[in-house]
Amino acid sequence: QSLIDHSGNGYHATLQSTANVEWVSGIEGLGLSLNGWANRFAKLPHQNGLEFTEKITISAWVRPNALHKGTIVSKADGNGFEFWLDSNGQLEFRLNRGNNGSQYRMRSTYNYSGDIGKWVHLAATFDGTTMRVFVNGQEDKSQSFTPFTIGTNSGDLVIGALGTIQRLNGSLDELRLYNRALDPAEILLLANG
């Protein structure tokens, strides 16, 4: 079963297992409910149009079921990007893990432990120097660096896992990726539907 890309680019991702994966009432139409079990994530083999080297925005509605390490989206093989929920309740946005470890890692001030079972709009942006995390349309935290590019991110795009681990236990809706850093007003528009 596929997760359909509505951007018109044809980047459809394939669920690796559909057992106990459900479509639930989402923010707009149906959302995808994942339980964190093995292979409960979707994968899209590398496409050149998904290589975000200069700038990126990740935006999604997420409804966590529990405190856990659960990934919203990643393209982390050979560097790249990852955005996930940590077991301590923070969000983590990381770039270039392969070559740089935790150098380009940012953790939120926001803690999702108070939003278990609720839909929350989460976004992360990078504009070439500054990483930002937004919660429900408001900037939560930012961190600036000497200018850098996102490394060769030729791995699979994975929705709901980091590679095959850190699988999301929760629901996802309206996942969006942009090859630019949306400004705060645009993030707010996404959060307001």
Side-chain angles (χ1 to χ4, degrees):
Q1 193 166 16
S2 292
L3 304 185
I4 302 301
D5 172 20
H6 291 285
S7 73
N9 292 312
Y11 298 141
H12 311 307
T14 303
L15 283 164
Q16 302 304 288
S17 172
T18 57
N20 299 103
V21 172
E22 299 176 318
W23 295 103
V24 295
S25 181
I27 292 297
E28 188 174 322
L30 297 177
L32 180 70
S33 176
L34 301 167
N35 56 21
W37 297 359
N39 292 320
R40 273 47 169 210
F41 57 85
K43 190 164 68 171
L44 169 65
H46 171 70
Q47 310 263 345
N48 289 339
L50 293 171
E51 270 201 48
F52 303 96
T53 54
E54 308 290 331
K55 301 173 182 181
I56 189 171
T57 296
I58 301 165
S59 165
W61 285 94
V62 181
R63 186 173 65 190
N65 290 337
L67 277 173
H68 70 299
K69 279 192 176 183
T71 307
I72 299 166
V73 64
S74 66
K75 196 172 190 295
D77 286 352
N79 291 305
F81 59 86
E82 51 198 80
F83 190 33
W84 42 277
L85 314 178
D86 206 346
S87 53
N88 66 1
Q90 289 178 296
L91 310 175
E92 180 161 317
F93 177 35
R94 189 190 300 217
L95 302 171
N96 294 356
R97 180 199 289 258
N99 284 352
N100 301 103
S102 60
Q103 182 176 355
Y104 303 121
R105 177 179 74 179
M106 196 175 74
R107 290 186 171 158
S108 66
T109 303
Y110 163 76
N111 192 298
Y112 71 89
S113 59
D115 287 324
I116 302 296
K118 300 176 187 172
W119 284 107
V120 185
H121 186 266
L122 304 176
T125 67
F126 172 64
D127 63 7
T129 57
T130 303
M131 297 171 69
R132 291 184 168 86
V133 169
F134 297 81
V135 178
N136 289 327
Q138 302 298 319
E139 185 174 313
D140 172 71
K141 192 172 180 182
S142 67
Q143 194 168 340
S144 293
F145 302 89
T146 302
F148 72 96
T149 56
I150 302 171
T152 304
N153 50 3
S154 56
D156 297 335
L157 179 76
V158 184
I159 299 168
L162 180 65
T164 61
I165 62 168
Q166 285 187 203
R167 297 177 295 273
L168 183 70
N169 179 4
S171 300
L172 277 175
D173 198 8
E174 296 299 306
L175 173 65
R176 296 167 180 251
L177 297 173
Y178 298 84
N179 62 358
R180 62 186 183 90
L182 269 61
D183 65 38
E186 291 175 302
I187 299 286
L188 186 59
L189 278 174
L190 289 176
N192 287 339

